Amino acid sequence: MSAERQKAHAAAAALEYVEHGMTLGLGSGSTAEIFLRLLGERVKEGLDVKGVPTSQRTAEVAHEAGVPLIEVDHVDQIAVTVDGADEVDGRFQLIKGGGACLLREKIIANASDLMVVMVDESKLVDTLGRFPLPVEVDRFGFSITARQVYEALKRAGVKSPDVQLRRKGDGLDPLITDGGHYILDCACGAIPDARLADQHLKAIPGLVEHGLFIGLARVVIVGEDMEARVMEL
Ligand code: 5RP
């Protein structure tokens, strides 16, 4: 069965967490887009929600799907953020940022009463780190920051980190995030202690945010071939 089918099952199950009148954090990525289109159908049927998008792309898809948006700085409370992830471990720790939206995704998830994560089965891991960890950095002095990211990951127990500047599809120009930053993709193989890595990375001056989401997700929905499995902490 395809990952797409599993993502669709997860997205449909995530709708169960949406209630009339809620302000929602709208995640980014292909699973989040499936969710948005399903949400748009509910809105057409009369569901009253507003969304705070975590990327320009999500804002565009929400607009197409008919999901009303609200300016992030006009929001008092976000009830639920619904988002995808690149990896999830057994403690609901995540790697995010494959779509380069991790900064806004983390701001919104952290400000939400509840974060619901939707994944297909391929995203479940015992130890985070098979997916290269995205790290968002200021463009100024990024090669200095990249060396410090390497050192921080080594101190956190990653054996041989490989830190690479993410480039656009043409392979030439660096990718620029919605916030105007670069992304460093850090191939780790395994991150033995995600909390320690978080602490070491956060101490680097040019580092804007990293893709380890620790203690944020309370619900993980795993799309399977025939249905979705809902896990709550
Ligand atoms: C974007 C993200 C996405 O949630 C993550 O990359 C998963 O994407 P997809 O649902 O397309 O597999 O973190 O920054």
Side-chain angles (χ1 to χ4, degrees), residues 123-179:
K123 309 284 185 68
L124 299 179
V125 296
D126 291 330
T127 306
L128 295 177
R130 191 178 62 197
F131 189 91
L133 176 67
V135 173
E136 186 156 351
V137 299
D138 198 280
R139 284 190 265 176
F140 180 83
F142 79 91
S143 49
I144 296 172
T145 307
R147 285 196 290 277
Q148 294 184 352
V149 166
Y150 172 87
E151 294 299 338
L153 289 169
K154 289 280 282 185
R155 281 200 301 280
V158 176
K159 288 210 175 85
S160 308
D162 180 26
V163 180
Q164 297 289 336
L165 180 65
R166 191 182 298 183
R167 296 186 184 276
K168 289 185 193 164
D170 61 11
L172 298 174
D173 297 326
L175 182 139
I176 310 282
T177 67
D178 285 353

Side-chain angles (χ1 to χ4, degrees), residues 18-167:
V18 176
E19 290 174 16
H20 202 69
M22 278 182 167
T23 298
L24 303 171
L26 303 176
S28 298
S30 59
T31 319
E33 289 184 19
I34 297 170
F35 171 80
L36 270 177
R37 296 195 190 281
L38 295 174
L39 184 65
E41 288 169 20
R42 294 287 171 90
V43 168
K44 284 185 192 118
E45 291 162 9
L47 179 73
D48 173 28
V49 289
K50 291 187 180 60
V52 182
T54 55
S55 63
Q56 289 170 13
R57 168 73 190 160
T58 289
E60 286 163 17
V61 176
H63 186 69
E64 283 167 23
V67 175
L69 298 181
I70 180 167
E71 275 292 317
V72 61
D73 290 313
H74 295 169
V75 160
D76 295 326
Q77 185 231 12
I78 303 171
V80 183
T81 280
V82 183
D83 203 346
D86 299 299
E87 277 188 357
V88 182
D89 74 7
R91 288 190 280 177
F92 289 15
Q93 301 182 128
L94 318 174
I95 287 183
K96 285 187 51 57
C101 312
L102 64 105
L103 172 61
R104 294 183 184 187
E105 289 172 333
K106 198 181 275 190
I107 291 170
I108 298 304
N110 186 59
S112 303
D113 297 340
L114 178 69
M115 182 188 196
V116 174
V117 172
M118 313 161 291
V119 288
D120 63 83
E121 288 178 308
S122 72
K123 309 284 185 68
L124 299 179
V125 296
D126 291 330
T127 306
L128 295 177
R130 191 178 62 197
F131 189 91
L133 176 67
V135 173
E136 186 156 351
V137 299
D138 198 280
R139 284 190 265 176
F140 180 83
F142 79 91
S143 49
I144 296 172
T145 307
R147 285 196 290 277
Q148 294 184 352
V149 166
Y150 172 87
E151 294 299 338
L153 289 169
K154 289 280 282 185
R155 281 200 301 280
V158 176
K159 288 210 175 85
S160 308
D162 180 26
V163 180
Q164 297 289 336
L165 180 65
R166 191 182 298 183
R167 296 186 184 276

Side-chain angles (χ1 to χ4, degrees), residues 175-194:
L175 182 139
I176 310 282
T177 67
D178 285 353
H181 307 121
Y182 285 161
I183 294 279
L184 303 174
D185 286 312
C186 308
C188 295
I191 303 173
D193 187 337

